[in-house]
Every structure is written in structure tokens, then in C-alpha cells.
Amino acid sequence: MALINSIFTWIMKKRIHQIELFMKYPHEVQEEWFQSLISTAEATEWGKKYDYNSILTPETYKERVPLQDYNSLKPYIDRMIKGEQNILWPSDIKWFAKSSGTTADRSKFIPVSEEALEDCHFQGGKDMLTVYCHNRPDTKILTGKSVVLGGSSQINSFNSDSYYGDLSSIIIRNLPFWAEFHRTPDVETTLNPNFEEKIENVAQLTIHENVTNLSGVPTWNVVLAKRILEITGKDNLLEVWPNLEFYSHGGVSFKPYREQFRKLIPSDRMYYLENYNASEGYFALQDQLDSEDLLLMLDYGIYYEFLPIENLHDDQPKTLGLHEVELGKNYALIISTNAGLWRYIIGDTIKFVNLHPYRIQITGRTKQYINTFGEEVIVDNADDALKRACDETGASIRDYTAGPVYFNDGEAGAHEWIIEFEEQPTDVDQFCRTLDATLRAINSDYDAKRFNDLALRFPIIHIAPDGTFYRWMKSRGKLGGQNKVPRLANERTYLDDILKIIHG
């Protein structure tokens, strides 16, 4: 154990120096990666189609290669799934991350190359640990075990030599031995595709372990934590795992879950670190002790572009390079990667909160918003307003979703919310008023539509019974893994489905 700690300390110091270098020279690092990606892929089918051999600058690249989404790349990916190689990327691709997202029920299969696995996803995980240990030098995290609540993985039916599953399952199945040594429980239990059975088994097998750290989507970690407390009869997780000190999370905003975790882990020493990773890549992590902003990681084999959200639906939208972005503006994230995703719109929106170095906040999804009446409410607005309402009424939220109520017989529209509380508000009316007032304060478009109930009347808010969202996600086959409750939608499909569950 002492040897492992010594080796890790040496690697950590070396890596911190490399991170400081790309923070100091961000544009040069991104330019190097751009040139490397283009030259590496020039002999692929895609590289020949767009004559990558003659692309020397990002400007030429943007002029020649159109923006892509999953539908435009799907014909190429389908061929790769069936075993064809050298299509989008030169190295053999045998893994595909299954991602349904929250905006469509149809599954997507994102290629994961060896380079993406090693230089992006694994490097992100190592950097997360490096940053934590750098910020908390007295940590004892390596003296115990890690519980990672992963998804599932299975042999892909198109080709016996290619596999698909949640990104977390792909990472777990390919972990180096030293990381596997520090993880619990065994791989088969962790990747059990039956989520409810997995929660039960993970809970039973880990309550007697020395668990020092947790990782996963907050929604599902809460489910696991509650089951552990039911089994043990304890009041909080520190009574089960007294050496628990670190939780790395991602996938959804942590704001609605913060109060739940304070109660589950009542310690000021508990360290929370947010990751911004997805099937398409690992993009950013929370590197500062005193800030929730995320450092954009620039040396993971990803070249970034940023599309102002107001130009998303233009015929020929102009993207910006890292050197052109501005503070506080919403951008759709565009990536070119070492897994062969070229100028790919991943569907997330971010804003920059610092330019030296580049730090961001995730503001939502390009398809998760409500703009039925020109109010342009995004997930970031909703999370902030809900947090304020919770703070003022002693509430905490388990899950929520919202969508529009359309104009009807001369009556103004509205936003309709379904909220499942962990702790009920002391005053429901005050909660609703604060939610509305905060949205008006932080979003001028929403405020204008709410003026005199002209286009939007006071929001309609339903308090969902315990377990409503869990039952709804189960009915859709979306328990566990990277599945998430869609927060906002510009139409009523999710709302109407959940209201049917509530009202029987």
C-alpha cells in the first residue's frame, strides 16, 4: 500500500504540472490537438471525403466539414458496429457507449476508441483523483474501497467482437488492475442489468467494506444510500462507512440533491467533486476547493468549438474557437474527438465563468428548455429558482420536470411543474411564489411574459407522491446507469405521462 501511495504521489505531481501548462497555454494546446486529430484521421473514409490532407487551419475545417449530430453520423456508426473499420477513426473500435440521453427514447451508440478510453475517459478519472488529492493532501482515500454505481454491458448482437453498454460499464470492464483493486463489489454485481437487483446486492455486499469514496449519478446514489440505511438501521452513511470522505458526481445538476446528501453524510469534511463527462468524452471537472466552476480539460484528445445558442438553428451557423468566447453567454458545445466524432453537437449548453483559465458551468441541454411563449427558460434557471424556493421553505427536492400549458380559450399559457420532495416545504404557497419570483428575477424574457399574466400566468405546481419518478423511469426501462429524468421540455409528453401515474 505504501508503494502504491508513493507511485501515485509521483504521478500526481507530474500531472498537476501538465494541467498548469494547458491552463497557461490553452490556445496552443488546442491548436496542437486540432492538428493531431486531422492528421491522424486523414486516411480514414471520412478524412478522404473531406480531404483532411489539405486542411491546415481550423477556419478551413469549419468551412469544409458541416456540423454533425447523431443522425448525420449514424450511417457511418452503423457500419462500424457491424465490424467495418477505418471509417471515422483509424484504430479499431470495438466498444460503443449506449446513450439514450433524456431527449429521445431511441438509443444512440457512441464509438469509444482505445485512444478515447485511455487519453480521455481514463485520464479524466485519474485527473479527478489527482485534483482531489492535491486539494486534500491528508486524504486517506486509497486506504479503502470505492463504490461506483455503474450501468450494464453486453455483447453487441451485430458482431461477436464488439460490445456496447453504458459508458460507466465500458470503463469498469476496462479498468487497470490497480483501480479494480480499490473498487467494490465485483464486476458482475456492479454491472447487473437488473437495476433493483443490483441495488440490493451492492448494498448487501458493501456495508461491511471500508468504503472511502463514492461515484455516480446522484439520483441513483440516493436510492442506494437509502437501501443501505434500511438494511443497517443506521441514521446516516457515516455510521456505516466512518471513513467515507469523497463523492464524485455528474450527469445531473447537484443543486437539487445537495440537501439530501448533507443529511445522508453529515460531515463538513465530506468532499464533493463534479465531473462533466458523457458518452462522447470527458470535458471538465471541479478543480477548486471554494468554487463549483468546472475547469475545461484541454488535453484529452478533443478539439472544442462553441456555437452561440441563438444561432443554433441558423442555416450555416458560425462557431467560435476557444479564443473567441465571452463570459456569461450560452453556447452549444461542439466537439471533434479521438473517437471520430467530427464537429459533433453533443446537445449540452455551457457558459464561461472565467477565461484565465477557462472554467465553465453547464446550463442545460439544447433540447431541454421551455420556450413556448418566448420565455427561454433553461435548466440552469429552473435549478436556481428551485434552490431558492427550497432554501426559503426548508424543502429538498428528489426529482422534478416541467413543461408548457398552452393557450386555451383566451386564457394565458403557463408552466406546469411536477415536483417530488424529499422534505416537504413548510409553506407550499410560499415555495410556489418564490419559484416564480426567482425565475422572474433571473430571466427577463420570463418576466416580460409574466407581466400582468399577459402570456404566462402563475405556474401550476403538482406535488408528486413518493416514488412517482422512480415508477415512471422504471416503466420506461430507464432505471440506473446514465439515465436521467428530463428536467424541462417544450411540449407535454413527459408531463402527461407522469400525471397519468399520479392520478392512476
Side-chain angles (χ1 to χ4, degrees), residues 285-459:
L285 58 82
Q286 187 178 341
D287 69 312
Q288 296 174 297
L289 274 166
D290 58 351
S291 172
E292 296 180 4
D293 301 337
L294 306 178
L295 178 68
L296 191 64
M297 306 304 283
L298 301 177
D299 63 349
Y300 285 0
I302 299 172
Y303 177 71
Y304 293 102
E305 299 173 59
F306 308 91
L307 176 58
I309 198 68
E310 61 269 21
N311 302 126
L312 183 62
H313 301 295
D314 291 357
D315 288 339
Q316 293 180 308
K318 181 182 182 301
T319 63
L320 306 178
L322 192 61
H323 63 289
E324 299 173 293
V325 298
E326 298 177 43
L327 290 174
K329 290 196 170 183
N330 265 317
Y331 297 105
L333 193 61
I334 316 293
I335 59 172
S336 297
T337 79
N338 52 6
L341 299 177
W342 301 106
R343 305 201 74 207
Y344 186 83
I345 306 171
I346 68 169
D348 290 337
T349 60
I350 58 106
K351 68 179 178 183
F352 285 88
V353 291
N354 198 74
L355 300 181
H356 307 286
Y358 288 99
R359 290 196 174 93
I360 64 171
Q361 291 178 356
I362 305 162
T363 55
R365 299 278 297 169
T366 56
K367 295 182 180 178
Q368 278 201 55
Y369 57 84
I370 309 176
N371 194 33
T372 307
F373 312 100
E375 65 273 45
E376 296 187 17
V377 172
I378 60 175
V379 174
D380 194 45
N381 299 157
D383 285 341
D384 285 345
L386 288 167
K387 182 180 184 302
R388 176 71 63 84
C390 284
D391 289 346
E392 291 194 7
T393 61
S396 65
I397 289 173
R398 189 175 295 155
D399 262 313
Y400 78 89
T401 195
V405 176
Y406 305 120
F407 289 130
N408 183 34
D409 295 331
E411 188 175 39
H415 288 180
E416 190 165 9
W417 298 71
I418 302 174
I419 304 173
E420 185 177 332
F421 289 100
E422 184 70 23
E423 294 286 338
Q424 295 286 334
T426 52
D427 185 329
V428 173
D429 289 339
Q430 183 189 348
F431 180 93
C432 299
R433 289 193 303 272
T434 303
L435 172 63
D436 181 56
T438 306
L439 281 174
R440 296 189 69 164
I442 63 179
N443 184 321
S444 58
D445 293 311
Y446 178 84
D447 183 51
K449 305 305 181 294
R450 283 282 292 116
F451 181 71
N452 286 339
D453 291 351
L454 214 61
L456 282 172
R457 51 198 160 94
F458 192 78

Side-chain angles (χ1 to χ4, degrees), residues 77-97:
I77 294 172
D78 284 347
R79 290 167 57 200
M80 293 159 66
I81 286 172
K82 293 173 183 176
E84 288 190 58
Q85 299 292 350
N86 205 35
I87 305 294
L88 296 173
W89 188 251
S91 64
D92 284 359
I93 293 178
K94 299 181 179 182
W95 287 95
F96 296 85

Side-chain angles (χ1 to χ4, degrees), residues 145-148 180 182-186 190 202 205-206 209 211:
K145 298 282 190 175
S146 171
V147 174
V148 180
E180 184 60 27
H182 282 284
R183 203 187 54 74
T184 186
D186 61 276
T190 302
V202 171
L205 290 169
T206 59
E209 295 276 7
V211 173

Side-chain angles (χ1 to χ4, degrees), residues 102 104 128-129 163 198 226 250 309 344 355 393 473 499:
T102 51
M128 173 199 70
L129 201 55
Y163 307 85
K198 171 163 60 182
K226 289 185 173 180
I309 198 68
Y344 186 83
L355 300 181
T393 61
M473 293 291 279
L499 286 171

Side-chain angles (χ1 to χ4, degrees), residues 238-284:
L238 293 178
E239 295 180 3
V240 182
W241 299 321
N243 297 318
L244 185 63
E245 61 175 79
F246 179 56
Y247 174 42
S248 63
H249 59 88
V252 296
S253 169
F254 197 55
K255 292 174 190 174
Y257 298 95
R258 192 174 302 281
E259 195 55 40
Q260 288 186 67
F261 275 88
R262 279 202 189 103
K263 291 178 179 177
L264 288 168
I265 310 167
S267 168
D268 292 337
R269 288 285 295 167
M270 187 66 187
Y271 193 115
Y272 298 92
L273 187 151
E274 182 174 0
N275 301 273
Y276 177 18
N277 63 329
S279 301
E280 297 87 353
Y282 196 119
F283 309 121

